[in-house]
Amino acid sequence: SATTPVRAVLKDLRVSSVTPSSVQLQWSVPEGSFDSFTLQYRDAQSQPQALPIDGGSRSVTVPGLSPSHRYRFHLYGLRGRKRAYHTSTEGVTATAKTEELPLPSEEPQHEVPKGKDPPAETTPSDASPPRAVLGELKVSSVTPSSVQLQWSVPEGSFDSFTLQYRDSQGQPQALPIDGGSRLVTVPGLSPSHRYRFHLYGLQGRKKIDHVSTEAITGEGLQDLP
């Protein structure tokens, strides 16, 4: 009847890929829809972490993890601020030898000389792939322990992205992101701390474009429901 809201169902929460410092999870919503999701887990120090996720997402990368460590992830589907459904899974991060995702070298790669682009009207030859361009990297929201970033791709497309930043201990972190994403939440941060984020757009394994931004996390009062 009209008084009963459509049931919303979460299914098939599973690990789609791992690196030594991250786990990528995906899930489906075979029935109904959710306004948002929250992923909860304990970090390697057993501190609880809560990662807010957009209601349209069906995958998330959890960064800042420790190698060869078993994690249990709980995904909650929310309607408004109310938890409507819950599913969980376990994942083990890869060993510390990082074959899957080589950390990009610090020095910029200059294979594509800047300022040599053809005028926009010319059609690119078969030899050169269409140029891919990253738009501005912006902070869309912050909590005491996370920052949500968004960006655009005004021209071309990327196979994947990598977000690089240093955690509050100064350790470099690299977060692999799906090429279709335009939004990422970086969890496991410290309150009232300034972070600098570098987003690289990749075609194959080659970095094509790069944008950066800075963000300061919220103050230590945790206001998650």
Side-chain angles (χ1 to χ4, degrees):
S1 71
T3 54
T4 320
V6 182
R7 214 162 69 104
V9 176
L10 269 175
K11 284 196 75 168
D12 305 323
L13 179 64
R14 64 182 190 275
V15 175
S16 53
S17 67
V18 299
T19 75
S21 64
S22 70
V23 168
Q24 190 176 49
L25 301 167
Q26 59 186 58
W27 60 92
S28 63
V29 179
E31 203 179 320
S33 66
F34 295 97
D35 298 328
S36 65
F37 303 99
T38 299
L39 186 76
Q40 293 190 332
Y41 63 100
R42 289 185 181 272
D43 64 21
Q45 287 75 46
S46 292
Q47 293 302 304
Q49 300 287 342
L51 176 53
I53 304 166
D54 179 76
S57 297
R58 297 294 179 263
S59 74
V60 69
T61 301
V62 187
L65 304 181
S66 296
S68 306
H69 194 91
R70 179 183 297 275
Y71 293 88
R72 186 156 185 83
F73 299 99
H74 301 273
L75 183 70
Y76 296 89
L78 281 74
R79 301 177 101 178
R81 297 175 74 87
K82 186 177 165 196
R83 291 178 179 175
Y85 209 89
H86 164 231
T87 183
S88 58
T89 192
E90 290 194 353
V92 180
T93 45
T95 52
K97 302 197 305 289
T98 166
E99 304 94 345
E100 301 93 349
L101 233 167
L103 268 171
S105 54
E106 287 299 317
E107 67 275 1
Q109 298 170 356
H110 290 298
E111 293 107 320
V112 184
K114 291 280 182 189
K116 296 277 177 71
D117 296 315
E121 295 76 34
T122 64
T123 51
S125 67
D126 292 337
S128 63
R131 211 164 72 106
V133 174
L134 272 172
E136 185 190 0
L137 182 63
K138 294 195 292 242
V139 178
S140 54
S141 66
V142 298
T143 75
S145 63
S146 70
V147 168
Q148 192 175 54
L149 301 168
Q150 61 184 61
W151 62 94
S152 61
V153 180
E155 202 177 322
S157 65
F158 295 98
D159 298 329
S160 65
F161 304 99
T162 298
L163 185 75
Q164 292 191 330
Y165 63 99
R166 288 185 182 274
D167 64 22
S168 51
Q169 285 77 47
Q171 293 303 302
Q173 301 286 344
L175 175 52
I177 304 166
D178 179 76
S181 298
R182 299 293 179 266
L183 184 74
V184 69
T185 302
V186 187
L189 306 180
S190 296
S192 306
H193 194 93
R194 180 185 295 276
Y195 292 89
R196 185 156 182 80
F197 298 99
H198 305 275
L199 183 72
Y200 295 89
L202 283 75
Q203 289 183 344
R205 297 174 82 89
K206 187 175 162 191
K207 290 179 179 172
I208 304 296
D209 202 8
H210 163 227
V211 287
S212 302
T213 194
E214 289 194 352
I216 299 176
T217 45
E219 292 175 10
L221 292 165
Q222 186 56 278
D223 55 4
L224 283 165

